[in-house]
Short mmCIF file of all heavy atoms in Angstrom, two decimals:
data_model
loop_
_atom_site.label_atom_id
_atom_site.label_comp_id
_atom_site.label_asym_id
_atom_site.label_seq_id
_atom_site.Cartn_x
_atom_site.Cartn_y
_atom_site.Cartn_z
N LYS A 7 42.26 104.10 138.87
CA LYS A 7 41.86 104.75 140.13
C LYS A 7 42.79 104.35 141.28
O LYS A 7 43.11 105.15 142.14
CB LYS A 7 40.41 104.41 140.47
CG LYS A 7 39.41 105.10 139.55
CD LYS A 7 37.99 104.72 139.91
CE LYS A 7 37.01 105.29 138.90
NZ LYS A 7 35.67 104.70 139.03
N ALA A 9 45.96 103.53 140.83
CA ALA A 9 47.22 104.25 140.54
C ALA A 9 47.12 105.71 140.96
O ALA A 9 48.11 106.30 141.43
CB ALA A 9 47.56 104.14 139.06
N LYS A 43 50.57 101.51 133.89
CA LYS A 43 49.83 102.76 134.10
C LYS A 43 49.01 103.12 132.86
O LYS A 43 47.93 103.68 132.98
CB LYS A 43 50.79 103.88 134.49
CG LYS A 43 51.35 103.66 135.89
CD LYS A 43 52.20 104.80 136.38
CE LYS A 43 52.55 104.58 137.84
NZ LYS A 43 53.54 105.57 138.33
N HIS A 62 58.24 95.24 130.10
CA HIS A 62 58.53 95.79 131.42
C HIS A 62 57.76 95.05 132.52
O HIS A 62 58.27 94.85 133.62
CB HIS A 62 58.20 97.28 131.43
CG HIS A 62 58.57 97.98 132.69
ND1 HIS A 62 59.87 98.24 133.05
CD2 HIS A 62 57.80 98.45 133.72
CE1 HIS A 62 59.89 98.85 134.23
NE2 HIS A 62 58.65 98.99 134.65
N PHE A 76 60.36 85.52 147.03
CA PHE A 76 59.91 84.21 146.55
C PHE A 76 60.58 83.80 145.23
O PHE A 76 60.14 82.89 144.55
CB PHE A 76 58.38 84.14 146.44
CG PHE A 76 57.73 85.24 145.64
CD1 PHE A 76 57.68 85.18 144.26
CD2 PHE A 76 57.15 86.32 146.28
CE1 PHE A 76 57.07 86.18 143.52
CE2 PHE A 76 56.54 87.34 145.53
CZ PHE A 76 56.49 87.27 144.15
N THR A 83 53.08 83.36 136.73
CA THR A 83 52.50 84.60 136.20
C THR A 83 51.34 84.21 135.28
O THR A 83 51.40 83.20 134.58
CB THR A 83 53.53 85.42 135.41
OG1 THR A 83 54.07 84.60 134.39
CG2 THR A 83 54.64 85.93 136.29
N VAL A 84 50.29 85.02 135.33
CA VAL A 84 49.08 84.76 134.54
C VAL A 84 48.56 86.09 133.99
O VAL A 84 48.52 87.08 134.72
CB VAL A 84 47.96 84.13 135.43
CG1 VAL A 84 46.66 83.99 134.65
CG2 VAL A 84 48.39 82.80 136.01
N ASN A 87 42.77 86.80 129.50
CA ASN A 87 42.37 87.59 128.33
C ASN A 87 40.97 87.20 127.87
O ASN A 87 40.75 86.06 127.45
CB ASN A 87 43.38 87.35 127.20
CG ASN A 87 43.18 88.29 126.03
OD1 ASN A 87 43.91 89.26 125.87
ND2 ASN A 87 42.18 88.05 125.22
N VAL A 95 38.67 92.42 134.91
CA VAL A 95 38.96 93.87 134.87
C VAL A 95 39.60 94.20 133.52
O VAL A 95 40.69 93.70 133.21
CB VAL A 95 39.91 94.27 136.03
CG1 VAL A 95 40.24 95.76 135.95
CG2 VAL A 95 39.28 93.94 137.39
N LEU A 98 44.68 95.57 131.30
CA LEU A 98 45.65 94.47 131.32
C LEU A 98 46.46 94.44 132.62
O LEU A 98 46.86 95.49 133.12
CB LEU A 98 46.59 94.60 130.12
CG LEU A 98 47.51 93.42 129.81
CD1 LEU A 98 47.71 93.33 128.31
CD2 LEU A 98 48.84 93.55 130.51
N ILE A 102 50.76 87.63 139.74
CA ILE A 102 51.87 86.82 140.26
C ILE A 102 51.33 86.04 141.43
O ILE A 102 50.80 86.61 142.39
CB ILE A 102 53.04 87.68 140.78
CG1 ILE A 102 53.57 88.62 139.72
CG2 ILE A 102 54.17 86.79 141.29
CD1 ILE A 102 54.74 89.46 140.21
N ALA A 104 52.29 83.03 144.27
CA ALA A 104 53.46 82.40 144.90
C ALA A 104 53.09 81.96 146.31
O ALA A 104 52.00 82.25 146.81
CB ALA A 104 54.62 83.40 144.93
N LYS A 107 52.77 75.40 145.98
CA LYS A 107 53.04 74.73 144.70
C LYS A 107 51.80 74.84 143.82
O LYS A 107 50.70 74.48 144.23
CB LYS A 107 53.40 73.27 144.95
CG LYS A 107 53.76 72.52 143.71
CD LYS A 107 54.95 71.58 143.93
CE LYS A 107 55.30 70.81 142.67
NZ LYS A 107 55.74 71.68 141.58
N MET A 108 51.99 75.34 142.62
CA MET A 108 50.87 75.51 141.70
C MET A 108 50.55 74.17 141.02
O MET A 108 51.42 73.32 140.85
CB MET A 108 51.21 76.54 140.62
CG MET A 108 51.56 77.92 141.16
SD MET A 108 50.21 78.68 142.07
CE MET A 108 51.15 79.60 143.29
#
Side-chain angles (χ1 to χ4, degrees):
K7 289 180 186 167
K43 290 186 173 172
H62 185 72
F76 53 82
T83 56
V84 174
N87 190 102
V95 178
L98 191 147
I102 303 181
K107 183 139 180 64
M108 301 298 147

